[in-house]
Structures are given as C-alpha cells and as structure tokens.
Amino acid sequence: MYNKRWVNEMKKKPYHIAFIFFFIDLISKQVITKFMKVNESVDVISNFFSLNYVQNTGAAWSILKNERLLLLIVTVIVLFLIHKYLNKENLLPSEEYAFGIIIGGILGN
C-alpha cells in the first residue's frame, strides 16, 4: 500500500523546480537588462556560449509580435493542461525536472 501524503508531495516536486527556475530566469533577465545594452553580445565561453541581449514582444522568433492577450491566453491554457497531466500521471524523476523547467520558463516569460 502507498502513502497518500508521499504521493501528494511527489506531485509538488515539478512546482518546486519551476519556482527555482522562475527566479533564476527573473534574476538573469534583471542582470542582463542592468549591465548590457540591447543587441549587445558577451562571450561567456569563447566560440561556445555567448549572451545576446535582444528584446522580443512576441513568442519564439517574434511569432505573434505584440499579441500579448493571445499569448497570455495560450500560456494559461498550456499551464492548465500541464497541471492536469502532472496530477494524472506518475512521472519519472527526469520528467519531473523537465516539466519543472518548462513551467518555470513559461512563467518567466
């Protein structure tokens, strides 16, 4: 027999991960906007990893540019569907982390 409290705690793990990644996202954006100029690029690891400060008012690659209300509606629907899925399925630890990172990234945007 399983412990119901333990199962409920396990279902919260993606949300704890999301909280952490949301704040990492928030802090990194604050640091970049404070110390970089728009369209500036900084090499972090030469020829491998660089930060590029660009502003985007749409989704990925400026899809739906300036359609904030539509993007907000889609965001809420996607978060709702993820929440329903998380409460329905038994996830592997790697899936818990993945969904936590996805939720944190969605909330950060």
Side-chain angles (χ1 to χ4, degrees):
M1 195 81 154
Y2 64 91
N3 183 339
K4 208 172 200 180
R5 183 172 167 247
W6 180 79
V7 170
N8 288 336
E9 286 299 314
M10 289 303 294
K11 292 193 182 282
K12 292 180 185 177
K13 190 173 187 180
Y15 298 108
H16 294 148
I17 295 164
F19 182 78
I20 292 166
F21 275 87
F22 169 74
F23 278 103
I24 290 170
D25 184 68
L26 186 69
I27 290 167
S28 65
K29 287 177 181 175
Q30 291 297 318
V31 169
I32 288 169
T33 56
K34 183 172 182 161
F35 294 106
M36 292 178 70
K37 294 180 177 90
V38 177
N39 297 321
E40 183 179 357
S41 181
V42 175
D43 279 338
V44 178
I45 301 172
S46 184
N47 295 323
F48 180 72
F49 178 70
S50 62
L51 291 175
N52 302 294
Y53 180 13
V54 296
Q55 293 182 335
N56 181 6
T57 59
W61 305 286
S62 294
I63 298 170
L64 301 172
K65 187 173 182 174
N66 295 320
E67 295 291 336
R68 295 178 78 86
L69 181 59
L70 177 60
L71 290 172
L72 180 62
I73 292 168
V74 170
T75 298
V76 170
I77 291 169
V78 169
L79 286 172
F80 174 76
L81 293 173
I82 290 172
H83 175 73
K84 294 284 284 182
Y85 180 79
L86 290 176
N87 286 317
K88 187 176 175 182
E89 298 294 323
N90 291 322
L91 302 176
L92 298 171
S94 60
E95 293 172 316
E96 292 174 340
Y97 284 103
F99 277 110
I101 293 168
I102 291 167
I103 294 168
I106 290 170
L107 293 174
N109 289 321

